Amino acid sequence: MAEPTPAPRATEARKSRHLDICLKEDVASKLETGFGGVRLRHEVLPEFALEDVETATTFLGRRLGIPLVISSMTGGTQRARDINRNLAAAAEASGAALGLGSQKAAIENPALLATYRVRDLAPNVTLFANIGAVSLNYGISIDDLRAAVDAIDANGLYLHLNPLQEALQTNGDTNFRGLLPKIAALCRSLDVPVIAKSVGSGLSVSSAARLLEAGVAALDVAGAGGTSWARVEGRRSRDPRREELAETFAGWGYPTVEATLAVRAAFPAVPLVASGGVRSGVDIAKALALGADLAGVGLPLLEPATHSGEATCAALEQLVAGLRIAMFASGCRTIETLPEALYRGNEAIETSEPAT
Ligand SMILES: Cc1cc2nc3c(=O)[nH]c(=O)nc-3n(C[C@H](O)[C@H](O)[C@H](O)COP(=O)(O)O)c2cc1C
């Protein structure tokens, strides 16, 4: 009889399979993000040149060249190392922030740490470490997480909350009991900010309130409408009954636009990322117009990152070109003015003026 796969190798194998599924199969949520229903003002007299558009912004006290974070995706395998390094090179060139994938694999097996290290290629990038909050109930300590942040010289820690994904995995980590006090202790203990995120199912206002109370410094709605982790886990199971079960959750969660609007309305000052199904520069402009400080993009950057840093740069440049044109055509020279361009109907047509 074959030996059972040891836990660290199992994490590594799972990560590799996630990449294959996300790259080759249809894992799109059956919900719409809502960006299709959001419109921005069209300004025929912007009174500035396209080249005057400024995309720089600040997030958690750090300057970014563009209002974008590459959403946490991978680590733990040789292929993941190459992907992370291509993402890092593109982030450095464009001024985007970069979230690395869950570091659970490297905490379990320190030999894998090298697959997350990108600082040499990205000295100026705002870099985020990543772990599932539920790991705090499965033997990963605050000291482990401090070491994980230090090991990659990260500027913050993304803490992902994924009960649905864990529940749909065979032997997933489904004990979410008593996590909030552990999250609070983590936020108190780390020297870097903690950002709480979903994984494509969105965040409710009440969850956001409890996370902020616990001390997280920022939120990323990681809403529904893009990559569905229910579908990814269903595909991975290779078990028709489990896949059928997972598919019933393909339309689960809060769409990105709804979650962004609700969280921003409830917490006007919290640093906020809108991600989940952001697929163009226009989506980025809309996310910021809805009140997010940054937009986040995951899956669309994965495929180019399997090729090269140049391919990843080109994909990011395409997003930035769309954002710049959306800002120009809505009369927004700077990022801060984008919320003024949210179009709410004829009244806005009659009264709006370009925000310069
Ligand atoms: C291949 C892949 C791996 C991912 N791994 C992680 C992870 O380790 N940690 C995490 O917080 N989110 C992870 N995510 C979720 C993304 O960060 C993001 O929240 C989600 O994919 C929705 O964004 P998208 O629609 O732009 O892909 C992963 C996504 C992809 C596509």
Side-chain angles (χ1 to χ4, degrees):
M1 211 169 78
E3 289 286 309
T5 316
R9 290 252 182 280
T11 305
E12 227 183 303
R14 190 175 71 240
K15 293 285 150 196
S16 197
R17 184 93 177 98
H18 280 158
L19 290 179
D20 286 332
I21 293 166
C22 289
L23 286 166
K24 294 180 194 147
E25 301 194 28
D26 176 13
V27 289
S29 166
K30 294 210 167 140
L31 292 178
E32 300 286 332
T33 54
F35 285 119
V38 176
R39 289 164 68 197
L40 299 185
R41 174 179 65 198
H42 176 61
E43 181 50 68
V44 296
L45 282 171
E47 293 288 355
F48 57 84
L50 177 58
E51 66 180 34
D52 298 335
V53 166
E54 285 174 18
T55 57
T57 190
T58 52
F59 185 70
L60 292 170
R62 292 186 57 91
R63 197 85 180 139
L64 302 182
I66 54 172
L68 186 79
V69 55
I70 301 174
S71 296
S72 305
M73 284 192 282
T74 199
T77 62
Q78 181 59 37
R79 182 157 63 133
R81 175 186 179 273
D82 297 342
I83 291 171
N84 280 337
R85 293 183 75 73
N86 290 336
L87 292 172
E92 181 73 24
S94 66
L98 171 61
L100 294 166
S102 168
Q103 282 165 263
K104 188 174 172 205
I107 294 172
E108 291 172 345
N109 176 7
L112 300 178
L113 201 52
T115 66
Y116 298 84
R117 283 211 171 104
V118 294
R119 205 30 120 191
D120 55 319
L121 284 180
N124 301 301
V125 165
T126 296
L127 194 62
F128 297 119
N130 185 290
I131 196 78
V134 76
S135 303
L136 293 165
N137 276 353
Y138 287 85
I140 288 185
S141 68
I142 291 176
D143 284 344
D144 289 332
L145 294 182
R146 191 181 294 107
V149 167
D150 289 348
I152 59 163
D153 192 16
N155 305 104
L157 171 67
Y158 252 124
L159 198 59
H160 69 259
L161 294 144
N162 62 344
L164 175 64
Q165 183 191 0
E166 296 291 351
L168 289 169
Q169 273 177 49
T170 311
N171 302 322
D173 293 345
T174 51
N175 172 17
F176 275 63
R177 292 186 196 112
L179 273 187
L180 209 52
K182 292 185 183 179
I183 294 174
L186 176 68
C187 293
R188 279 196 303 274
S189 309
L190 289 189
D191 297 331
V192 295
V194 173
I195 305 142
K197 83 185 273 286
S198 179
V199 294
S201 303
L203 281 179
S204 70
V205 168
S206 65
S207 303
R210 287 183 294 155
L211 288 162
L212 291 170
E213 178 88 0
V216 309
L219 299 168
D220 182 337
V221 300
T227 310
S228 157
W229 277 86
R231 300 194 80 188
V232 176
E233 291 302 343
R235 296 276 191 273
R236 193 171 67 84
S237 72
R238 292 191 171 119
D239 167 353
R241 285 180 70 82
R242 190 155 278 270
E243 185 160 359
E244 184 186 294
L245 180 66
E247 280 297 305
T248 65
F249 289 89
W252 186 270
Y254 303 116
T256 300
V257 166
E258 257 177 60
T260 303
L261 278 171
V263 173
R264 174 49 82 221
F267 308 103
V270 73
L272 181 64
V273 181
S275 73
V278 172
R279 296 294 179 259
S280 67
V282 176
D283 287 349
I284 297 173
K286 289 178 177 178
L288 302 186
L290 295 169
D293 298 292
L294 300 184
V297 176
L299 190 54
L301 296 172
L302 183 62
E303 205 271 330
T306 61
H307 298 296
S308 64
E310 292 73 30
T312 317
C313 271
L316 264 182
E317 275 166 17
Q318 182 79 345
L319 291 172
V320 175
L323 168 65
R324 292 181 65 86
I325 295 172
M327 289 174 68
F328 181 56
S330 61
C332 296
R333 199 180 58 77
T334 61
I335 294 297
E336 303 78 62
T337 56
L338 269 164
E340 296 163 27
L342 201 59
Y343 165 65
R344 293 189 180 84
N346 282 342
E347 200 184 328
I349 292 186
E350 282 159 22
T351 59
S352 66
E353 280 176 21
T356 49

Coordinates of all heavy atoms in Angstrom, one line a residue, residues 266-324:
A266 N -19.8 52.0 5.1 CA -19.7 51.8 6.6 C -18.4 52.3 7.2 O -18.4 52.7 8.4 CB -19.9 50.3 6.9
F267 N -17.3 52.3 6.5 CA -16.0 52.7 7.0 C -15.3 53.6 6.1 O -14.5 53.2 5.3 CB -15.2 51.4 7.3 CG -15.8 50.4 8.1 CD1 -16.3 49.2 7.4 CD2 -16.0 50.5 9.4 CE1 -17.0 48.3 8.1 CE2 -16.7 49.5 10.1 CZ -17.2 48.4 9.5
P268 N -15.7 54.9 6.1 CA -15.3 55.9 5.1 C -13.8 56.0 5.1 O -13.2 56.4 4.0 CB -15.9 57.2 5.5 CG -17.1 56.8 6.4 CD -16.7 55.5 7.1
A269 N -13.1 55.7 6.2 CA -11.6 56.1 6.2 C -10.7 54.8 6.1 O -9.5 55.0 6.0 CB -11.3 56.8 7.5
V270 N -11.3 53.6 6.1 CA -10.4 52.4 6.2 C -9.7 52.2 4.8 O -10.3 52.4 3.8 CB -11.3 51.2 6.6 CG1 -12.2 50.7 5.5 CG2 -10.3 50.1 7.0
P271 N -8.4 51.9 4.9 CA -7.7 51.6 3.6 C -8.4 50.4 3.0 O -8.5 49.3 3.6 CB -6.3 51.3 4.0 CG -6.2 52.1 5.4 CD -7.5 52.0 6.0
L272 N -8.8 50.5 1.7 CA -9.7 49.5 1.1 C -9.2 49.1 -0.2 O -9.0 50.0 -1.1 CB -11.1 50.1 1.1 CG -12.2 49.1 0.5 CD1 -12.4 47.9 1.4 CD2 -13.6 49.9 0.4
V273 N -9.2 47.8 -0.5 CA -8.8 47.3 -1.8 C -10.1 46.6 -2.4 O -10.8 45.9 -1.7 CB -7.7 46.2 -1.7 CG1 -7.3 45.7 -3.1 CG2 -6.5 46.8 -1.0
A274 N -10.4 46.9 -3.6 CA -11.5 46.3 -4.4 C -10.8 45.3 -5.3 O -10.1 45.7 -6.2 CB -12.3 47.3 -5.2
S275 N -11.1 44.0 -5.1 CA -10.5 43.0 -6.0 C -11.6 41.9 -6.2 O -12.6 41.9 -5.5 CB -9.2 42.4 -5.5 OG -9.5 41.6 -4.4
G276 N -11.3 41.0 -7.1 CA -12.2 39.9 -7.5 C -12.9 40.3 -8.8 O -13.8 41.1 -8.8
G277 N -12.4 39.7 -9.9 CA -13.0 40.0 -11.2 C -12.6 41.3 -11.8 O -13.3 41.7 -12.7
V278 N -11.6 42.0 -11.3 CA -11.1 43.2 -12.0 C -10.4 42.8 -13.2 O -9.4 42.1 -13.1 CB -10.2 44.0 -11.0 CG1 -9.6 45.2 -11.7 CG2 -11.1 44.5 -9.8
R279 N -10.8 43.2 -14.4 CA -10.3 42.6 -15.6 C -9.8 43.7 -16.6 O -9.3 43.3 -17.7 CB -11.4 41.8 -16.3 CG -11.8 40.5 -15.4 CD -10.6 39.6 -15.3 NE -10.9 38.4 -14.5 CZ -10.5 38.2 -13.2 NH1 -9.8 39.2 -12.6 NH2 -10.8 37.1 -12.5
S280 N -9.9 44.9 -16.3 CA -9.4 46.0 -17.2 C -9.1 47.2 -16.5 O -9.4 47.4 -15.3 CB -10.6 46.3 -18.2 OG -11.6 46.9 -17.6
G281 N -8.4 48.2 -17.2 CA -8.2 49.5 -16.6 C -9.4 50.2 -16.3 O -9.5 51.0 -15.4
V282 N -10.5 50.0 -17.1 CA -11.8 50.6 -16.8 C -12.3 50.1 -15.5 O -12.8 50.9 -14.7 CB -12.8 50.4 -18.0 CG1 -14.1 51.0 -17.7 CG2 -12.3 51.0 -19.3
D283 N -12.2 48.8 -15.3 CA -12.7 48.2 -14.0 C -11.9 48.9 -12.8 O -12.4 49.2 -11.8 CB -12.4 46.7 -13.9 CG -13.4 45.9 -14.8 OD1 -14.4 46.5 -15.3 OD2 -13.2 44.7 -14.9
I284 N -10.6 49.1 -13.0 CA -9.8 49.7 -12.0 C -10.3 51.1 -11.7 O -10.5 51.5 -10.5 CB -8.3 49.7 -12.4 CG1 -7.7 48.3 -12.6 CG2 -7.5 50.5 -11.3 CD1 -6.3 48.3 -13.1
A285 N -10.5 51.9 -12.8 CA -11.1 53.2 -12.6 C -12.4 53.2 -11.8 O -12.7 54.0 -10.9 CB -11.2 53.9 -13.9
K286 N -13.3 52.3 -12.2 CA -14.6 52.1 -11.5 C -14.4 51.8 -10.1 O -15.1 52.3 -9.2 CB -15.4 51.1 -12.3 CG -15.9 51.6 -13.6 CD -16.7 50.5 -14.3 CE -17.3 51.0 -15.7 NZ -18.0 50.0 -16.4
A287 N -13.5 50.8 -9.8 CA -13.3 50.4 -8.4 C -12.9 51.6 -7.5 O -13.3 51.8 -6.4 CB -12.2 49.3 -8.3
L288 N -12.0 52.5 -8.1 CA -11.6 53.6 -7.3 C -12.7 54.7 -7.2 O -12.8 55.3 -6.2 CB -10.3 54.2 -8.0 CG -9.1 53.3 -8.1 CD1 -7.9 54.0 -8.6 CD2 -8.8 52.6 -6.8
A289 N -13.5 54.8 -8.3 CA -14.6 55.7 -8.2 C -15.6 55.3 -7.2 O -16.3 56.1 -6.6 CB -15.3 55.8 -9.6
L290 N -15.7 54.0 -6.9 CA -16.6 53.5 -5.9 C -16.1 53.7 -4.5 O -16.8 53.4 -3.5 CB -16.9 52.0 -6.1 CG -17.6 51.6 -7.4 CD1 -17.5 50.1 -7.6 CD2 -19.0 52.1 -7.3
G291 N -14.8 54.1 -4.4 CA -14.3 54.5 -3.1 C -13.1 53.6 -2.6 O -12.6 53.8 -1.5
A292 N -12.7 52.6 -3.4 CA -11.5 51.8 -3.1 C -10.3 52.7 -3.2 O -10.2 53.6 -4.0 CB -11.4 50.6 -3.9
D293 N -9.3 52.3 -2.4 CA -8.0 53.0 -2.5 C -7.1 52.4 -3.6 O -6.3 53.0 -4.2 CB -7.3 53.0 -1.2 CG -8.0 53.8 -0.1 OD1 -8.2 55.0 -0.2 OD2 -8.6 53.1 0.8
L294 N -7.3 51.1 -3.7 CA -6.5 50.3 -4.7 C -7.5 49.3 -5.3 O -8.5 48.9 -4.7 CB -5.4 49.5 -4.1 CG -4.2 50.1 -3.3 CD1 -3.2 49.1 -2.9 CD2 -3.6 51.2 -4.2
A295 N -7.2 48.9 -6.5 CA -7.8 47.7 -7.1 C -6.8 46.5 -7.0 O -5.6 46.7 -6.9 CB -8.2 47.9 -8.5
G296 N -7.3 45.3 -7.1 CA -6.5 44.1 -7.1 C -6.8 43.3 -8.2 O -8.0 43.1 -8.6
V297 N -5.8 42.7 -8.9 CA -6.0 41.8 -10.0 C -5.2 40.5 -9.8 O -4.0 40.5 -9.4 CB -5.5 42.4 -11.3 CG1 -5.6 41.4 -12.5 CG2 -6.3 43.7 -11.6
G298 N -5.9 39.4 -9.9 CA -5.2 38.1 -9.7 C -5.0 37.3 -11.0 O -4.1 37.5 -11.8
L299 N -6.0 36.5 -11.3 CA -5.9 35.5 -12.4 C -5.4 36.0 -13.7 O -4.6 35.4 -14.4 CB -7.3 34.8 -12.6 CG -7.3 33.6 -13.5 CD1 -6.2 32.5 -13.1 CD2 -8.7 32.9 -13.5
P300 N -5.9 37.2 -14.2 CA -5.4 37.7 -15.5 C -3.9 37.8 -15.6 O -3.3 37.8 -16.7 CB -6.1 39.0 -15.7 CG -7.3 39.0 -14.8 CD -6.8 38.2 -13.6
L301 N -3.2 38.0 -14.5 CA -1.7 38.1 -14.5 C -1.0 36.8 -14.4 O 0.2 36.7 -14.6 CB -1.3 39.1 -13.4 CG -1.8 40.5 -13.6 CD1 -1.5 41.4 -12.4 CD2 -1.2 41.2 -14.9
L302 N -1.7 35.8 -14.0 CA -1.1 34.5 -13.8 C -0.5 33.9 -15.1 O 0.7 33.5 -15.1 CB -2.1 33.5 -13.2 CG -1.5 32.1 -12.8 CD1 -0.4 32.2 -11.8 CD2 -2.6 31.2 -12.3
E303 N -1.3 33.9 -16.2 CA -0.8 33.3 -17.4 C 0.4 34.0 -18.0 O 1.4 33.3 -18.2 CB -2.0 33.3 -18.4 CG -1.9 32.3 -19.5 CD -1.1 32.8 -20.7 OE1 -1.1 34.0 -21.0 OE2 -0.5 31.9 -21.4
P304 N 0.4 35.4 -18.1 CA 1.7 36.0 -18.6 C 2.8 35.7 -17.6 O 4.0 35.6 -18.1 CB 1.3 37.5 -18.6 CG 0.0 37.7 -17.9 CD -0.7 36.3 -18.0
A305 N 2.6 35.6 -16.3 CA 3.6 35.4 -15.4 C 4.2 33.9 -15.5 O 5.3 33.7 -15.0 CB 3.2 35.6 -13.9
T306 N 3.5 33.0 -16.2 CA 4.1 31.7 -16.4 C 5.1 31.8 -17.6 O 5.9 30.9 -17.8 CB 3.1 30.6 -16.8 OG1 2.4 31.1 -18.0 CG2 2.1 30.4 -15.7
H307 N 5.1 32.9 -18.3 CA 6.0 33.1 -19.5 C 7.3 33.9 -19.1 O 8.4 33.4 -19.1 CB 5.3 33.7 -20.6 CG 4.2 32.9 -21.1 ND1 4.4 31.7 -21.7 CD2 2.8 33.1 -21.1 CE1 3.2 31.1 -22.0 NE2 2.3 32.0 -21.7
S308 N 7.1 35.2 -18.7 CA 8.3 36.0 -18.5 C 7.9 37.3 -17.8 O 6.7 37.6 -17.7 CB 8.9 36.4 -19.9 OG 8.0 37.2 -20.6
G309 N 8.9 38.0 -17.3 CA 8.7 39.3 -16.7 C 8.2 40.3 -17.7 O 7.3 41.1 -17.4
E310 N 8.7 40.2 -19.0 CA 8.2 41.1 -20.0 C 6.8 40.9 -20.3 O 6.0 41.9 -20.5 CB 9.1 40.9 -21.3 CG 10.5 41.2 -21.2 CD 11.4 40.3 -20.4 OE1 11.0 39.1 -20.4 OE2 12.3 40.7 -19.8
A311 N 6.3 39.6 -20.4 CA 4.9 39.3 -20.7 C 4.0 39.9 -19.6 O 3.0 40.4 -19.9 CB 4.7 37.8 -20.9
T312 N 4.5 39.7 -18.4 CA 3.7 40.2 -17.2 C 3.7 41.8 -17.3 O 2.6 42.4 -17.0 CB 4.4 39.7 -15.9 OG1 4.7 38.3 -16.1 CG2 3.4 39.9 -14.8
C313 N 4.8 42.4 -17.6 CA 4.9 43.8 -17.7 C 3.9 44.3 -18.8 O 3.2 45.3 -18.6 CB 6.2 44.3 -18.1 SG 7.4 44.6 -16.8
A314 N 3.9 43.6 -19.9 CA 3.0 44.0 -21.0 C 1.5 43.9 -20.5 O 0.7 44.8 -20.8 CB 3.2 43.1 -22.2
A315 N 1.2 42.9 -19.8 CA -0.2 42.7 -19.3 C -0.6 43.9 -18.3 O -1.7 44.4 -18.4 CB -0.4 41.4 -18.7
L316 N 0.4 44.2 -17.5 CA 0.1 45.3 -16.5 C 0.0 46.6 -17.2 O -0.8 47.5 -16.9 CB 1.3 45.4 -15.5 CG 1.1 44.7 -14.2 CD1 2.3 44.9 -13.3 CD2 -0.1 45.2 -13.4
E317 N 0.9 46.8 -18.3 CA 0.9 48.1 -19.0 C -0.5 48.3 -19.7 O -1.0 49.4 -19.8 CB 2.0 48.1 -20.1 CG 3.3 48.6 -19.5 CD 4.5 48.3 -20.4 OE1 4.3 48.0 -21.6 OE2 5.6 48.3 -19.9
Q318 N -1.1 47.2 -20.2 CA -2.4 47.2 -20.8 C -3.4 47.7 -19.8 O -4.3 48.5 -20.1 CB -2.7 45.8 -21.4 CG -4.0 45.8 -22.1 CD -3.9 46.3 -23.6 OE1 -2.9 47.0 -23.9 NE2 -4.9 46.0 -24.4
L319 N -3.4 47.2 -18.6 CA -4.3 47.6 -17.5 C -4.1 49.1 -17.3 O -5.1 49.9 -17.1 CB -4.1 46.8 -16.3 CG -4.5 45.4 -16.3 CD1 -4.0 44.7 -15.0 CD2 -6.0 45.2 -16.4
V320 N -2.8 49.5 -17.2 CA -2.5 50.9 -16.8 C -3.0 51.8 -18.0 O -3.5 52.9 -17.7 CB -1.0 51.1 -16.5 CG1 -0.7 52.6 -16.3 CG2 -0.7 50.3 -15.3
A321 N -2.8 51.4 -19.2 CA -3.2 52.2 -20.4 C -4.7 52.5 -20.3 O -5.2 53.6 -20.5 CB -2.8 51.5 -21.7
G322 N -5.5 51.4 -20.0 CA -6.9 51.5 -19.9 C -7.3 52.5 -18.7 O -8.2 53.3 -18.9
L323 N -6.6 52.4 -17.6 CA -6.9 53.2 -16.5 C -6.6 54.7 -16.8 O -7.5 55.6 -16.5 CB -6.0 52.8 -15.3 CG -6.0 53.8 -14.1 CD1 -7.4 53.9 -13.4 CD2 -4.9 53.4 -13.0
R324 N -5.5 54.9 -17.5 CA -5.1 56.3 -17.8 C -6.2 56.9 -18.8 O -6.6 58.1 -18.6 CB -3.7 56.4 -18.5 CG -2.6 56.0 -17.5 CD -1.3 56.1 -18.2 NE -1.0 57.5 -18.6 CZ -0.4 58.4 -17.8 NH1 0.0 58.1 -16.6 NH2 -0.2 59.6 -18.2

